[in-house]
């Protein structure tokens, strides 16, 4: 089996995917038309030309602009369903999706509209595409602690649909410590926690996410290699890093994909895996992330299988389901050797 075939056929979990970041230009234009929302772009080519980012903030400015076309429950359904079809084509068997409710509630879209459209599509995805899923609510870290607390209050009636809470948006200047009290409450309510840290921010933000927010996973985390003591802790405690190579390339965290440290993270024994982050903006869904990263870093068959295993190990699936997927990966590895 070629590496290309292995990447295509390997069952995968995707653990770092912003559903608003899967809004393809075609759907953006269609929803703008459907909802009478004015966009600063006339066509798909103009939109794609604008996706030339210099850093995280230059992307976020456009990403929040694009999300304004999402208004109705059906819009959130269509967005999520389109992502699930792409994920199915990449043999994603389980996905844990971020959503940013504050991006919508601040435009007077109700929390219920957002959650209902997303979860209706996730339920259809489970039945029709055989993809299981979890939902992770991300607080926008550029907004205040008070705003996060208010969002948590809005979320609690829909708590059955939400597995974990995370932290995203502009990282530098908004350390995890800003949300320590919010996350205490989140944990007291029985939810799991994750946080973006060490994407553009320093290793200290990863320490804070671990110690102050008590996260189960770090989203990105690629700057951990600057701090050997931190790497030792992440390895010892098997804290997963949800790495997004094409995102890091497009947002200039690395200059070239060949410079990405994913292979070093694996060689350091860390539980890293490959994810797409905002695939409509960064040039590829999870399969494309695997393909380009394998080629750029010359990843081996074992590296690819390790990434696949790590994706399920790091998921919030029950242990029995994790074991079943790890068994499938063992079979794939054994079949590939014979
Ligand atoms: N929101 C969507 N994508 C993000 C990223 N890569 N980092 C921080 N916030 C985000
Ligand atoms: Zn992200």
């Amino acid at each position: 089996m070629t590496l290309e075939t292995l990447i295509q056929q390997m069952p995968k979990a995707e653990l770092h995917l912003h559903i608003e970041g899967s809004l393809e230009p075609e759907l953006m234009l269609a929803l703008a038309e459907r909802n009478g929302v004015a966009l600063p772009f006339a066509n798909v080519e103009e939109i794609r030309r604008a996706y030339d980012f210099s850093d995280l903030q230059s992307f976020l400015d456009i990403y929040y602009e694009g999300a304004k076309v999402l208004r109705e429950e059906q819009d959130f359904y269509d967005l999520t369903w389109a992502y699930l079809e792409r994920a199915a084509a990449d043999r994603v068997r389980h996905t844990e999706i971020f959503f940013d409710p504050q991006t919508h509630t601040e435009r007077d879209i109700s929390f219920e509209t957002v959650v209902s459209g997303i979860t209706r599509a996730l339920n259809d995805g489970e039945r029709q595409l055989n993809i299981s899923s979890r939902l992770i609510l991300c607080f926008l870290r550029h907004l205040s602690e008070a705003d996060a607390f208010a969002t948590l209050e809005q979320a609690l009636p829909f708590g059955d649909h939400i597995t974990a809470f995370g932290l995203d948006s502009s990282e530098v200047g908004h350390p995890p410590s800003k949300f320590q009290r919010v996350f205490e409450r989140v944990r007291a309510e029985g939810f799991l926690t994750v946080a973006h840290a060490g994407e553009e921010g320093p290793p200290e933000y990863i320490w804070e996410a671990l110690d102050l927010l008590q996260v189960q996973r770090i989203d990105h985390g690629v700057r951990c290699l600057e701090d050997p003591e931190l790497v030792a802790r992440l390895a010892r405690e098997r804290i997963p890093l949800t790495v997004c190579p094409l995102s890091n390339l497009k947002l200039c965290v690395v200059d070239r994909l060949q410079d990405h440290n994913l292979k070093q993270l694996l060689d350091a024994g860390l539980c890293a895996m490959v994810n797409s982050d905002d695939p409509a903006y960064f040039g590829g869904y999870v399969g494309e992330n695997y393909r380009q990263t394998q080629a750029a870093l010359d990843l081996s068959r074992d590296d690819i299988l390790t990434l696949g295993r790590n994706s399920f190990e790091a998921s919030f699936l029950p242990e029995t389901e994790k074991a079943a997927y790890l068994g499938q990966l063992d079979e794939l590895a054994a079949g590939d050797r014979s």
Side-chain angles (χ1 to χ4, degrees):
M1 189 189 284
T2 63
L3 273 175
E4 172 90 2
T5 309
L6 176 66
I7 287 171
Q8 173 55 36
Q9 293 191 359
M10 182 173 76
K12 303 164 191 73
E14 177 151 54
L15 308 178
H16 187 150
L17 180 283
H18 302 263
I19 198 61
E20 294 90 348
S22 71
L23 178 61
E24 290 288 339
E26 291 80 3
L27 184 58
M28 190 190 291
L29 286 173
L31 294 181
E33 170 107 13
R34 193 155 98 186
N35 293 326
V37 175
L39 277 179
F41 313 109
N43 53 47
V44 167
E45 290 67 41
E46 274 187 29
I47 299 179
R48 287 202 200 282
R49 231 176 293 131
Y51 293 176
D52 182 22
F53 311 118
S54 53
D55 57 12
L56 174 58
Q57 193 59 49
S58 66
F59 154 68
L60 291 170
D61 292 343
I62 285 193
Y63 163 82
Y64 294 131
E65 192 63 32
K68 289 182 183 163
V69 303
L70 298 160
R71 298 199 62 87
E72 308 291 337
E73 196 259 10
Q74 188 64 42
D75 304 340
F76 290 94
Y77 180 94
D78 292 346
L79 172 72
T80 308
W81 183 254
Y83 161 68
L84 288 168
E85 287 193 313
R86 299 271 200 157
D90 281 340
R91 270 192 79 70
V92 171
R93 309 298 343 136
H94 176 71
T95 187
E96 302 188 354
I97 290 179
F98 298 129
F99 74 118
D100 290 342
Q102 288 155 298
T103 301
H104 314 299
T105 52
E106 73 178 8
R107 297 179 290 118
D108 288 334
I109 311 296
S110 78
F111 192 96
E112 182 173 13
T113 296
V114 179
V115 173
S116 158
I118 296 172
T119 54
R120 189 160 63 84
L122 293 178
N123 290 338
D124 284 353
E126 177 117 41
R127 277 196 300 271
Q128 296 174 38
L129 301 172
N130 198 24
I131 299 179
S132 58
S133 53
R134 299 287 185 274
L135 198 51
I136 303 174
L137 187 160
C138 276
F139 298 116
L140 299 181
R141 68 201 307 159
H142 69 274
L143 298 180
S144 68
E145 181 200 45
D147 209 319
F149 266 122
T151 302
L152 174 56
E153 288 303 326
Q154 286 179 304
L156 288 178
F158 303 91
D160 288 352
H161 297 296
I162 298 168
T163 297
F165 285 71
L167 201 54
D168 67 0
S169 193
S170 322
E171 185 182 7
V172 174
H174 302 283
S177 53
K178 178 175 167 185
F179 297 95
Q180 181 175 357
R181 297 190 305 178
V182 180
F183 275 65
E184 272 165 16
R185 176 82 200 288
V186 161
R187 294 196 312 276
E189 293 286 348
F191 297 102
L192 302 172
T193 57
V194 298
H196 283 55
E199 178 185 18
E200 287 188 343
E204 289 72 33
Y205 284 21
I206 303 178
W207 284 107
E208 282 192 11
L210 295 172
D211 291 334
L212 306 183
L213 307 188
Q214 298 182 26
V215 295
Q216 269 75 38
R217 300 196 292 248
I218 297 288
D219 296 312
H220 292 294
V222 290
R223 287 194 58 189
C224 71
L225 286 184
E226 296 168 28
D227 181 343
E229 212 180 308
L230 176 59
V231 173
R233 171 153 181 211
L234 294 168
R236 193 172 59 245
E237 298 182 13
R238 293 273 317 145
I239 308 278
L241 303 182
T242 64
V243 175
C244 308
L246 288 179
S247 163
N248 295 152
L249 178 65
K250 284 291 274 186
L251 302 188
C252 307
V253 170
V254 292
D255 293 332
R256 308 175 314 156
L257 205 49
Q258 292 93 309
D259 300 330
H260 199 283
N261 65 14
L262 178 63
K263 175 75 175 152
Q264 291 160 265
L265 297 172
L266 290 180
D267 290 347
L270 299 184
C271 182
M273 85 301 298
V274 167
N275 306 273
S276 68
D277 206 4
D278 302 283
Y281 292 87
F282 299 152
Y285 287 75
V286 69
E288 189 61 18
N289 270 270
Y290 269 95
R291 279 186 288 280
Q292 289 197 29
T293 308
Q294 186 283 321
L297 302 182
D298 196 22
L299 296 180
S300 68
R301 196 163 298 263
D302 281 348
D303 291 330
I304 297 299
L305 288 160
T306 298
L307 291 167
R309 287 193 187 95
N310 289 348
S311 77
F312 288 106
E313 178 190 335
S315 75
F316 295 142
L317 282 168
E319 293 303 322
T320 49
E321 287 183 49
K322 284 189 195 184
Y325 282 116
L326 294 175
Q328 284 183 25
L329 284 164
D330 285 346
E331 273 175 37
L332 194 61
D336 206 23
R337 271 195 295 274
S338 61

